[in-house]
Amino acid sequence: MAAKASNTVTAALASASDMPLTPVHFQRLRQRWKATVTGKHTRVSSDDVYFALSKLSGTAEQYIVNMQPSRLHIWEDLSPIHLSVNFRKSYERLRTIAQSYSIPGTIHYHDLNVQETVIQSLDFIGSEIYNASVVQAKGENWWNFRIGAPLALVDIAILLYDDLTPRRRHDIGATIVKNIGSIGQRSLKGANRADICLALIGAGVITNEETVVSRGRWCLSDKEYDGENSIFDLVESGEGLYEGGSYLSHEIFPYSGGYGVQHYYSLSKAVNVLSKSPYHIDDTELGVTFAAINSTFSPVMWRGMMMGHIRGRDIARKSEPDAFWGNLFLQSLLYFADTELVPRKHRRFFKSLARSIWEAAPLPDLYGLNITQAFGMQKVLEERIPPAAPPIGTFATPMSDRIMHHRPGWAAALAMSSSRIGRYEALNHENLKPWYQGDGFLYVYTDKDPLHFSNDYWPTMDPYHTPGVTNGQNPQGPPAYKFTAHKDWAGGLDWRGTHGLAGLDALSTDKGSSAKKSWFFLLNSIVALGAGCAGLSGAEVHTTYESRNLPIIGSNFSINGQYQISDPGWIKPWVETHDQADWAYLDSFGGYVFLDKEPVSFKHEKRKGKWTDINQYPDYLGFSDSITREYLTIYRNHGVDPTDGHYAYALLPNASAAETEDFATMPPINVTHNTPKLQAIQFNNTVMANFWSGGTIGYLTAVTPCSITWGYSGVEDKYLTISVSDPTQKATRIVLFINDPDIGGVAEKDDSIQLRWGRAGETGSVTITVNVEGAHGRTHRVSFERISWRGTLESLPWRPSAKESSTSTTTTASRRIRPAATKKPAANHTATTSTKGGHKPAPAKHKASKAGKTSARTTKAVKPVKTAKPTKSVKPVKTVKLAKTNTQVKTDTSVKLVKSNFGTTKRSPEAEKTSLRTPRTSPGVTKAATTPTIPKSTPYTTSH
């Protein structure tokens, strides 16, 4: 990686070495920089621009009116100004005023009194507080000195460039260069490197010093260490972009929605500013950067907002909500799109994605586009560029212990931790109640209540009832900083891009509670299993199914169809346990189904809090008003210090009450195992399982621990595909054994997989060895042809290509017979078979049909499969023999393209549904050879 980066740096350096910067170059650099701060001024035609101008004018006017200059401060609330946080924030306020002075349409545009006020304030800070002679005091935050203050100061100096004397410009540039200091540290990576490089480039632009511009430019590529810490490449440790879509900051914290966005913002601004100079950054260096837009950032956004599970301690900042980071990422896309060196197809896609972010926002002025973002979006709208399709499917980022699942109308994100990844970040007196944020926190976002996590959730939520988490109710002490979890297992896999599986070996920070936890992300539901729930703290251990911040409208709640109502729109306050709760429904969320028929507790309460309860950093001490919100909490009480508790439930986001009741009456999934050794579910022709210590399900035996999913794939279920991963990231190999008479030849396999057949020249019995050393938890796949499938490639309506395909196939869930008195089950609980890049098995060779002939195709009626109703009885787990179920035919010829990887497309699962036929039996195939391998539904059992 370093050698490759070194070659790129050398080539780019050679192109710039013979072209020194001229005064014309510096003038263009300043013009482009100014445009990134003020926006490109065009005719105002957008409500967003009017709103941004009004907001900018009002904020600047407020700052001017509240000025109280003295020897100790410019603003009284930022006193004493010699503290780094106060002079940095003073610069940021002065930048806002300078923007209002520089942009036509504001109330301060070219007001000489405003200009003089800003210049005098700069002189005061520069002479007394922050200059080339200042020494950082012990205990001060280095970020204010090296990044925060320099970036604000550069913007001010460029906005007022023509109004500043050459001496002032020189002093400002010298101050920035001196306080940034050395940039050769190997620890300087990711967002911090991008910020510092941008500030250096700006300092050189202010003073017309090419050496400073050059230093900042080549720091981006880490020329000093041959590209070892180049922000254009993937990293293997520390801060930055990782393989598989992860972004880490401070070595162990997932941060694509915070530091990752800041990384992209500063890099995109540098790319934009330098694009017309000899020090430009061309697209040959930006391949990894552009690819990560889809793999790292799009999957962690919902409705234009950055999800909370990848924002670290930023969730505790009132002034930086999820929409703020979504808007900042939008601005990065606009900077890239406004750079001619970026290929046109990329620029168009960036604008398309920016428009999708803008249109998806549930409340456009939730935080509000700033003036640069507003002008940029106005241009995109004038170009009539359509929005990009939102991501659909499951996205796993194993290097950061995160899984995202996107469906039409809702999305989910799971935050886990391990011996590799920190549980939470609590730094600089921020995020003061984070104890269980990395212990299986399940975020669920829905169209029914799109602002759930933006509605003052973080200061009012119950930190001891975090959705998805199993924990003791004993009080926790002050949070520590920078430590990982106790266990290795945290991760899972995606199944053909549409479904997901995750598992967490949970042991709390104080080691007072533990559990084996699994999540199954399906098309219309999330199934959660827990086993081995135990405690040692002398307190009750709870598993929280839900803790919902209730909106005023849409908060009606029912249990088994009976509504709990006091006043219209609000549920009555209570705390109670139901022994016979089968399902529940919340209007502002959807449904909850309790699969194991055990007691469930419900609590409705008013919760009070202040943002300063969770953030004591000086930047955010102004948010001390008391806030009241109403919460609905659903949880399982395992008792005091349990030894082997368990749970099983399903979430149905965006479902109706009727759909929830149907799911509870006749579950479309079957929980086959829920023990500390094995947790698994089966639906249609698919089985998903976490083998905590190995075991057997049907024809498949896992010799070593692993996460695994197997089932039918391809056109007409032609293949049996197995996906497997090592969530511990500590194993060297995974060994599986299959004795399935329906397995034929190999259609496709990853290079990491080796096969050993049981008998030479025969099929059906095979040992699969997967080399997972150094794989970092990624998914490995192998596909076999099914002997019971008898057809030719030429007879199919679509011929699988020899390599990956973007076609998806959807099958309707196998229906189960219910008692006559019950309602018809929900029709939209379906299982999808689709393919992402690398998922589609290649076909084996078949004899070609005669030229010009097309095989006739017919669809046979399929009878529903009988199933046993789930029972409460606890029985020892028996090995479940798998038996295939037939599927009903459902077709849909519409096709909708969804962006899945940069520069590629895939079809959305619900947009194309290819009909599935009953496999034919060819002469010579015995009945035993065609015996189905997926089981009929078996009663839910729990074994300890």
Side-chain angles (χ1 to χ4, degrees):
M1 183 183 297
K4 179 182 178 181
S6 178
N7 293 336
T8 303
V9 171
T10 302
L13 180 58
S15 67
S17 60
D18 297 329
M19 299 177 63
L21 294 177
T22 65
V24 174
H25 284 133
F26 279 109
Q27 184 179 4
R28 289 177 180 171
L29 287 169
R30 285 189 290 273
Q31 289 173 346
R32 292 194 68 84
W33 193 295
K34 185 175 182 180
T36 66
V37 184
T38 63
K40 291 188 174 180
H41 303 148
T42 60
R43 178 178 58 87
V44 177
S45 60
S46 164
D47 290 341
D48 284 304
V49 175
Y50 282 115
F51 178 83
L53 285 172
S54 175
K55 182 179 179 180
L56 176 63
S57 295
T59 303
E61 178 66 15
Q62 184 179 10
Y63 289 155
I64 293 171
V65 170
N66 291 335
M67 278 184 167
Q68 295 177 320
S70 73
R71 297 292 298 174
L72 295 177
H73 57 253
I74 299 175
W75 287 275
E76 188 173 12
D77 62 324
L78 300 180
S79 181
I81 197 171
H82 69 270
L83 296 178
S84 65
V85 65
N86 287 335
F87 69 69
R88 188 259 301 167
K89 293 185 72 173
S90 296
Y91 277 135
E92 291 172 348
R93 292 183 181 181
L94 292 172
R95 175 173 57 190
T96 300
I97 297 172
Q99 281 181 292
S100 188
Y101 166 78
S102 303
I103 300 176
T106 66
I107 62 175
H108 306 112
Y109 179 60
H110 283 184
D111 185 325
L112 295 181
N113 291 328
V114 173
Q115 175 212 98
E116 185 64 22
T117 296
V118 175
I119 292 175
Q120 288 181 0
S121 299
L122 291 178
D123 289 345
F124 166 65
I125 300 175
S127 62
E128 301 282 343
I129 310 298
Y130 186 67
N131 50 51
S133 301
V134 69
V135 177
Q136 180 178 332
K138 185 178 180 180
E140 288 280 10
N141 189 337
W142 70 270
W143 185 89
N144 291 320
F145 281 85
R146 300 188 67 189
I147 294 178
L151 285 174
L153 190 51
V154 167
D155 285 346
I156 297 169
I158 289 180
L159 288 170
L160 301 180
Y161 182 84
D162 294 332
D163 303 317
L164 299 175
T165 64
R167 179 66 183 178
R168 285 190 174 105
R169 298 174 200 150
H170 175 272
D171 290 346
I172 289 173
T175 296
I176 293 171
V177 171
K178 187 271 176 184
N179 281 281
I180 285 178
S182 172
I183 59 173
Q185 304 100 316
R186 292 175 181 267
S187 61
L188 189 60
K189 299 181 180 181
N192 288 334
R193 177 174 287 271
D195 287 343
I196 283 179
C197 292
L198 181 64
L200 276 176
I201 293 169
V205 170
I206 294 168
T207 58
N208 289 359
E209 294 182 74
E210 182 174 0
T211 55
V212 179
V213 174
S214 175
R215 186 181 174 212
R217 162 63 181 93
W218 299 118
C219 176
L220 290 169
S221 304
D222 193 21
K223 172 188 168 187
E224 187 169 348
Y225 290 104
D226 292 328
E228 179 181 337
N229 294 316
S230 169
I231 66 170
F232 301 117
D233 294 320
L234 298 174
V235 301
E236 296 179 353
S237 63
E239 182 167 342
L241 284 167
Y242 283 75
E243 180 184 9
S246 296
Y247 188 99
L248 300 185
S249 186
H250 299 163
E251 287 79 38
I252 60 172
F253 299 116
Y255 244 124
S256 51
Y259 278 99
V261 173
Q262 185 64 41
H263 173 143
Y264 265 54
Y265 170 79
S266 291
L267 176 57
S268 64
K269 187 170 180 175
V271 169
N272 186 291
V273 168
L274 294 173
S275 62
K276 297 290 187 179
S277 79
Y279 288 94
H280 65 263
I281 303 166
D282 59 41
D283 63 304
T284 60
E285 291 185 86
L286 295 169
V288 168
T289 300
F290 291 162
I293 287 175
N294 265 332
S295 65
T296 304
F297 295 101
S298 290
V300 300
M301 296 193 72
W302 188 80
R303 297 290 299 269
M305 300 177 284
M306 286 290 169
M307 292 176 165
H309 71 305
I310 39 73
R311 290 177 51 219
R313 70 184 190 277
D314 293 347
I315 59 175
R317 298 175 179 176
K318 168 70 172 177
S319 59
E320 296 181 8
D322 38 22
F324 167 86
W325 292 103
N327 289 347
L328 197 63
F329 181 64
L330 176 147
Q331 187 165 333
S332 303
L333 295 172
L334 295 176
Y335 283 161
F336 281 133
D338 189 40
T339 306
E340 294 180 1
L341 290 172
V342 175
R344 178 175 295 182
K345 66 176 182 178
H346 292 355
R347 298 203 306 270
R348 183 175 179 83
F349 172 65
F350 297 153
K351 293 177 183 178
S352 177
L353 184 55
R355 179 165 183 173
S356 71
I357 294 171
W358 175 80
E359 287 191 352
L363 187 63
D365 60 349
L366 174 63
Y367 192 80
L369 298 178
N370 66 32
I371 191 62
T372 309
Q373 298 159 0
F375 271 120
M377 278 310 305
Q378 176 178 284
K379 182 178 179 181
V380 170
L381 295 174
E382 289 172 349
E383 294 179 20
R384 300 183 182 276
I385 295 176
I392 294 294
T394 303
F395 304 83
T397 55
M399 292 291 285
S400 55
D401 294 348
R402 297 294 191 265
I403 288 184
M404 289 69 65
H405 186 65
H406 289 265
R407 301 301 305 154
W410 63 277
L414 180 63
M416 299 177 287
S417 56
S418 64
S419 56
R420 308 169 301 275
I421 295 298
R423 294 179 185 272
Y424 55 78
E425 189 188 44
L427 177 65
N428 295 335
H429 306 290
E430 295 185 86
N431 199 22
L432 299 178
K433 299 180 181 180
W435 304 295
Y436 303 108
Q437 290 172 5
D439 287 7
F441 193 154
L442 182 62
Y443 298 72
V444 182
Y445 299 79
T446 75
D447 282 344
K448 287 176 175 285
D449 184 16
L451 300 179
H452 173 261
F453 292 102
S454 303
N455 185 22
D456 291 316
Y457 174 81
W458 296 105
T460 58
M461 59 91 69
D462 182 354
Y464 293 98
H465 286 98
T466 303
V469 175
T470 299
N471 62 277
Q473 296 300 297
N474 52 305
Q476 299 294 301
Y481 174 64
K482 211 168 188 177
F483 67 96
T484 58
H486 303 300
K487 299 287 189 175
D488 295 330
W489 185 303
L493 49 81
D494 71 277
W495 172 240
R496 299 192 298 266
T498 58
H499 299 66
L501 165 63
L504 175 66
D505 191 358
L507 179 60
S508 62
T509 302
D510 61 1
K511 299 185 178 181
S513 59
S514 61
K516 294 289 194 301
K517 303 172 70 67
S518 293
W519 294 265
F520 305 86
F521 298 94
L522 309 179
L523 294 188
N524 298 306
S525 62
I526 303 170
V527 177
L529 303 182
C533 303
L536 294 172
S537 62
E540 291 181 349
V541 174
H542 294 181
T543 295
T544 303
Y545 299 174
E546 179 64 283
S547 184
R548 206 75 186 167
N549 182 10
L550 300 175
I552 294 178
I553 300 175
S555 296
N556 290 330
F557 180 69
S558 64
I559 301 175
N560 291 342
Q562 181 180 357
Y563 274 88
Q564 313 292 313
I565 299 176
S566 56
D567 297 326
W570 291 94
I571 60 176
K572 63 184 179 182
W574 40 239
V575 179
E576 59 188 27
T577 299
H578 284 243
D579 293 334
Q580 299 296 326
D582 295 326
W583 63 281
Y585 186 78
L586 177 64
D587 289 357
S588 60
F589 171 80
Y592 308 88
V593 177
F594 312 113
L595 297 171
D596 54 0
K597 313 303 181 185
E598 295 286 342
V600 180
S601 297
F602 302 86
K603 177 169 62 174
H604 171 243
E605 61 179 335
K606 288 187 176 181
R607 295 191 55 81
K608 294 183 178 181
K610 302 185 294 290
W611 281 95
T612 49
D613 293 341
I614 59 174
N615 199 323
Q616 288 290 313
Y617 191 65
D619 273 20
Y620 310 104
L621 290 179
F623 303 103
S624 58
D625 293 341
S626 181
I627 304 165
T628 301
R629 292 288 181 269
E630 300 208 17
Y631 278 78
L632 171 69
T633 302
I634 306 174
Y635 62 94
R636 164 70 52 80
N637 184 350
H638 300 288
V640 176
D641 288 347
T643 58
D644 205 4
H646 64 275
Y647 62 84
Y649 65 94
L651 304 178
L652 279 65
N654 263 24
S656 66
E659 290 169 339
T660 304
E661 183 180 11
D662 288 342
F663 191 109
T665 304
M666 189 186 70
I669 59 95
N670 179 34
V671 177
T672 63
H673 298 77
N674 186 20
T675 76
K677 294 184 178 181
L678 173 59
Q679 292 173 318
I681 68 168
Q682 173 260 322
F683 59 94
N684 288 357
N685 295 323
T686 302
V687 176
M688 309 177 80
N690 280 320
F691 288 92
W692 297 100
S693 58
T696 299
I697 300 181
Y699 295 134
L700 186 141
T701 296
V703 179
T704 54
C706 63
S707 288
I708 184 169
T709 298
W710 71 97
Y712 297 161
S713 65
V715 176
E716 291 199 333
D717 291 345
K718 176 178 174 58
Y719 306 102
L720 175 68
T721 296
I722 299 172
S723 295
V724 63
S725 72
D726 167 33
T728 70
Q729 301 189 28
K730 292 290 183 70
T732 58
R733 64 177 184 169
I734 293 173
V735 180
L736 309 172
F737 177 71
I738 297 181
N739 188 16
D740 184 351
D742 197 30
I743 287 183
V746 179
E748 185 180 61
K749 71 179 183 67
D750 291 347
D751 293 339
S752 57
I753 292 178
Q754 294 182 343
L755 305 177
R756 182 166 57 85
W757 298 95
R759 292 176 294 277
E762 296 186 13
T763 59
S765 177
V766 61
T767 299
I768 304 172
T769 303
V770 187
N771 179 12
V772 295
E773 187 172 10
H776 302 299
R778 71 175 178 87
T779 301
H780 308 259
R781 291 180 175 86
V782 59
S783 294
F784 301 94
E785 287 187 310
R786 293 176 53 223
I787 293 176
S788 60
W789 190 91
R790 282 295 177 263
T792 65
L793 295 181
E794 288 74 11
S795 70
L796 297 177
W798 171 80
R799 293 185 59 182
S801 61
K803 295 185 178 180
E804 67 182 41
S805 166
S806 60
T807 301
S808 62
T809 305
T810 305
T811 70
T812 304
S814 299
R815 310 310 294 264
R816 297 184 172 92
I817 294 177
R818 63 170 71 218
T822 61
K823 297 180 180 179
K824 186 178 180 181
N828 65 340
H829 293 298
T830 60
T832 298
T833 305
S834 72
T835 57
K836 290 179 70 176
H839 295 192
K840 181 66 189 178
K845 294 182 179 180
H846 290 267
K847 295 180 180 179
S849 62
K850 294 182 180 180
K853 281 194 175 183
T854 304
S855 300
R857 309 299 303 279
T858 59
T859 302
K860 298 181 180 180
V862 181
K863 294 181 179 180
V865 179
K866 293 184 178 181
T867 183
K869 187 176 181 181
T871 179
K872 295 187 346 182
S873 61
V874 177
K875 301 178 182 179
V877 172
K878 299 180 180 179
T879 300
V880 180
K881 187 172 182 179
L882 302 183
K884 297 174 191 146
T885 57
N886 293 325
T887 55
Q888 294 178 343
V889 177
K890 192 170 184 178
T891 62
D892 185 351
T893 57
S894 63
V895 176
K896 182 171 68 174
L897 297 181
V898 179
K899 287 281 180 180
S900 59
N901 291 302
F902 190 79
T904 64
T905 61
K906 73 173 182 179
R907 298 171 192 251
S908 67
E910 60 279 0
E912 174 179 319
K913 299 183 180 179
T914 306
S915 62
L916 301 180
R917 274 73 172 180
T918 304
R920 308 174 198 152
T921 302
S922 297
V925 179
T926 64
K927 185 176 181 180
T930 59
T931 300
T933 59
I934 301 298
K936 296 180 180 179
S937 297
T938 55
Y940 169 82
T941 58
T942 302
S943 176
H944 308 300

